[in-house]
Amino acid sequence: MSGIDRNIAPDPRTGLINRHLPNTPQVQRLLRREGRAHVFSDRETVERVTQAIILGGERTGIEDADDDYERYGLYFSEPIGYIIRTDGSQTPLYYGEIKIVKTTGEYHAIPRTSPRRTS
């Protein structure tokens, strides 16, 4: 089965979305701290990717009792965002993930290079 078949709701903390949108203070902080940031192309892309994953995403990773999240993801044929680095280089991203808090059902979307693997 694909898609998310339970009730979920967007995480109300705007900082989670803003850390994945270009030119936000959260991304600037990530660049200073880590030297790179994974960002969506724009807010509309976040919405499009989120809906596509809810409807057709695949559950990813291995169930881990210590992991408080469920993850669903989907590859896209066109870039949905990019990794930006402090040196100005960019790498296109084609994979989107929704990370859902198991206990609350709150989620946020993340652009990634590939599925996160839990152990």
Side-chain angles (χ1 to χ4, degrees):
M1 179 178 165
S2 62
I4 300 171
D5 62 354
R6 70 181 191 103
N7 290 330
I8 60 174
D11 193 306
R13 297 175 291 171
T14 57
L16 289 175
I17 293 172
N18 289 340
R19 84 180 280 182
H20 297 297
L21 290 172
N23 305 315
T24 62
Q26 292 85 347
V27 167
Q28 295 307 313
R29 187 177 18 219
L30 279 171
L31 288 171
R32 284 192 304 276
R33 288 184 180 170
E34 300 177 17
R36 68 184 186 147
H38 290 68
V39 298
F40 285 102
S41 300
D42 52 39
R43 190 172 295 277
E44 292 77 24
T45 302
V46 175
E47 295 301 322
R48 180 177 54 82
V49 166
T50 298
Q51 288 307 308
I53 295 170
I54 289 171
L55 294 174
E58 295 292 329
R59 188 167 184 158
T60 60
I62 300 167
E63 189 67 28
D64 183 345
D66 294 331
D67 191 3
D68 295 330
Y69 303 97
E70 293 177 47
R71 292 175 175 82
Y72 292 81
L74 193 62
Y75 280 100
F76 293 84
S77 60
E78 299 290 325
I80 61 169
Y82 44 93
I83 300 171
I84 54 174
R85 296 179 184 79
T86 52
D87 67 4
S89 64
Q90 297 182 358
T91 303
L93 295 171
Y94 294 86
Y95 187 79
E97 177 182 89
I98 287 181
K99 185 175 171 181
I100 305 168
V101 179
K102 287 180 182 177
T103 56
T104 66
E106 293 177 342
Y107 71 86
H108 69 279
I110 306 166
R112 301 182 59 86
T113 55
S114 61
R116 178 183 182 275
R117 298 290 178 208
T118 57
S119 55

